[in-house]
Amino acid sequence: MQDPRIKVIEHRLSKVNNIIAVSSGKGGVGKSVIASLLALLLAKKGYRVGLMDLDFTSPSTHLILGAKGLFPQEKEGIVPPTFENIKFMSIVYFSKDKALSLRGQDFSDSFIEILAITKWDKLDYLILDMPPGINDATLDVIRYIKKVKFIIVTTSSILSLSTAKKLIDALNILNIEIIGVIENMKSEQTHTIMEKLDGAKTKFLGEIPFDPKLERCFGKPQMILTTKVSRELEKIVDKILT
Amino acid sequence: MHEWALAEAIIYTVTEIAEREKFKEVTRVDVKVGELQQVDLETIKFALTQLRRGKLEKTEFRIEPIKAKLKCRICEHVWNFDKNKLEEEVAEAIHFVPEVAHSFIKCPSCGAQDFEFVEGRRMYIESVSGVK
Ligand SMILES: Nc1ncnc2c1ncn2[C@@H]1O[C@H](COP(=O)(O)OP(=O)(O)OP(=O)(O)O)[C@@H](O)[C@H]1O
Ligand SMILES: [Mg+2]
Ligand SMILES: [Zn+2]
């Protein structure tokens, strides 16, 4: 009784050079903002980029980007629509932005289904916006996407950092590559996160300030690229690319 | 057609099974397809004959539908999925990602959306036979 969808996933992702999951452990730390901006910045630099929203219960990247009225094309599978030079995939195409609560197996099944039918073709980067928590989505990404690497987002709060560290430990045990940690929504001039991370053997990528103007740029991708958040993230991107 | 993507998945998987079992030739493959996904069986069959090669050249593909049954986790009511009761747009969404049924379908008895698919959600390969 074999599920034929599993085997096809590696073929679907075979021409994708880098797959980066933006994850955190704690909720509300800015994963979706960073994943969306990361996709925009990489596309602006001329890379072939895909963005996949894996937060099926509360997808938000379509709201951040302002990606409206899109639907994938059906062509021996489904081809994600392109928005701002990003191949963009989200459950909202199918759930029509209605509430969608999925228990474990149902999450996995929809995740596998989407991976099995989506034709990304050639990409330099596929960015995954992860839901909060170290549960179904994280485990499935690790299980079905062998070449995934993680970027971990935390705020300056020790509550956020303590879960981030657990995620780092879990990934280290599984030998999954961690690109590094980003400290987001920073409001005070301290280096606590960088110092506290010291023991975790994970690279500190940089910090992004709290920017009260960010919210009003949502839905306008070109405006988001002019924010402080974008400028700081771009420095981090340049560091990752070298 | 997204049926082609599913047919491709069957071909890859059967090819892998044939390698593992050291079959020289695959004679028959039985596939069950859950009705929830409203997959067009003729299209899948046609796609399979177009995509197959090597050890699968002469394979007989038997594809059978399975009725989709849902069960409410709150009141335990069991009912059959009926595509005809849905708007076309909703049926299409469920065709692509069946789990989004949780956004649109309610238990006909108590109205809850917390239900499980007891049968007929997915497609699976039931058996692969061949000559060694
Ligand atoms: N650097 C920043 N400056 C100002 N506001 C920010 C910043 N980063 C994120 N935010 C805001 O914080 C909130 C949470 O951000 P976001 O939704 O990206 O977090 P998340 O980690 O994806 O949340 P969830 O865990 O629910 O998926 C949003 O309202 C967003 O606008
Ligand atoms: Mg989010
Ligand atoms: Zn019920």
Side-chain angles (χ1 to χ4, degrees), chain A residues 34-45:
Chain A
I34 289 177
S36 309
L37 246 176
L38 190 57
L40 282 171
L41 287 166
L42 288 165
K44 194 184 83 175
K45 289 181 188 294

Side-chain angles (χ1 to χ4, degrees), chain A residues 28 30-33 53 55 58-61 64 129-132:
Chain A
K31 295 179 288 297
S32 300
V33 165
D53 196 323
D55 194 344
S58 22
S60 17
T61 51
I64 295 170
D129 179 26
M130 303 296 290

Side-chain angles (χ1 to χ4, degrees), chain B residues 51-102:
Chain B
L51 294 168
R52 62 162 160 208
R53 45 187 58 86
K55 293 178 179 179
L56 276 64
E57 213 75 74
K58 294 190 196 118
T59 309
E60 180 195 353
F61 288 99
R62 295 215 180 173
I63 302 185
E64 265 178 49
I66 298 182
K67 279 245 166 299
K69 250 192 213 157
L70 292 74
K71 182 179 176 186
C72 179
R73 284 199 174 97
I74 309 297
C75 76
E76 304 204 333
H77 180 71
V78 177
W79 73 100
N80 286 332
F81 170 73
D82 182 2
K83 171 188 170 180
N84 299 319
K85 285 192 184 145
L86 301 173
E87 285 170 44
E88 196 177 320
E89 216 189 30
V90 170
E92 190 193 31
I94 295 175
H95 167 63
F96 285 114
V97 184
E99 283 68 33
V100 299
H102 285 99

Side-chain angles (χ1 to χ4, degrees), chain A residues 5 113 117, chain B residues 2-3 6 33-40 66 68 81 83 91-92 94-99 120-123:
Chain A
R5 299 172 303 170
E113 193 76 40
I117 63 178
Chain B
H2 127 265
E3 274 79 0
L6 300 175
V33 180
E35 281 190 344
L36 184 63
Q37 209 162 9
Q38 315 147 57
V39 169
D40 186 68
I66 298 182
F81 170 73
K83 171 188 170 180
E92 190 193 31
I94 295 175
H95 167 63
F96 285 114
V97 184
E99 283 68 33
R121 184 267 175 240
R122 23 173 158 172
M123 171 179 84

Side-chain angles (χ1 to χ4, degrees), chain A residues 1-5 7-8 11-12 71 74-78 91 94-96 98-103 105-106 109-110 113-114 117 119, chain B residues 1-2 4-6 8-10 12-13 16-17 20 37 73 89 92-93 95-97 99-100 102-104 114 117 121-125:
Chain A
M1 295 244 293
Q2 199 156 339
D3 183 346
R5 299 172 303 170
K7 180 74 194 155
V8 85
H11 294 274
R12 297 279 179 250
F71 198 77
E74 208 175 344
K75 205 171 151 206
E76 300 181 7
I78 58 177
I91 195 89
F94 311 111
S95 64
K96 318 282 175 201
K98 283 181 141 232
L100 180 63
S101 341
L102 298 178
R103 288 173 184 265
Q105 186 56 48
D106 285 334
D109 261 326
S110 37
E113 193 76 40
I114 291 178
I117 63 178
K119 300 210 139 174
Chain B
M1 293 294 279
H2 127 265
W4 279 76
L6 300 175
E8 216 179 336
I10 296 175
Y12 281 132
T13 307
E16 192 192 49
I17 294 173
R20 200 169 59 217
Q37 209 162 9
R73 284 199 174 97
E89 216 189 30
E92 190 193 31
H95 167 63
F96 285 114
V97 184
E99 283 68 33
V100 299
H102 285 99
S103 297
F104 303 104
D114 188 7
F117 305 115
R121 184 267 175 240
R122 23 173 158 172
M123 171 179 84
Y124 59 90
I125 296 172

Side-chain angles (χ1 to χ4, degrees), chain A residues 24-35 55 58 60 64 129-133 153 184-186 208-215 218 229:
Chain A
S24 69
K26 264 268 186 267
V29 298
K31 295 179 288 297
S32 300
V33 165
I34 289 177
D55 194 344
S58 22
S60 17
I64 295 170
D129 179 26
M130 303 296 290
V153 183
N184 187 31
M185 295 198 250
K186 195 164 170 105
I208 296 175
F210 180 86
D211 180 357
K213 296 202 194 86
L214 179 69
E215 183 82 26
F218 286 164
V229 177

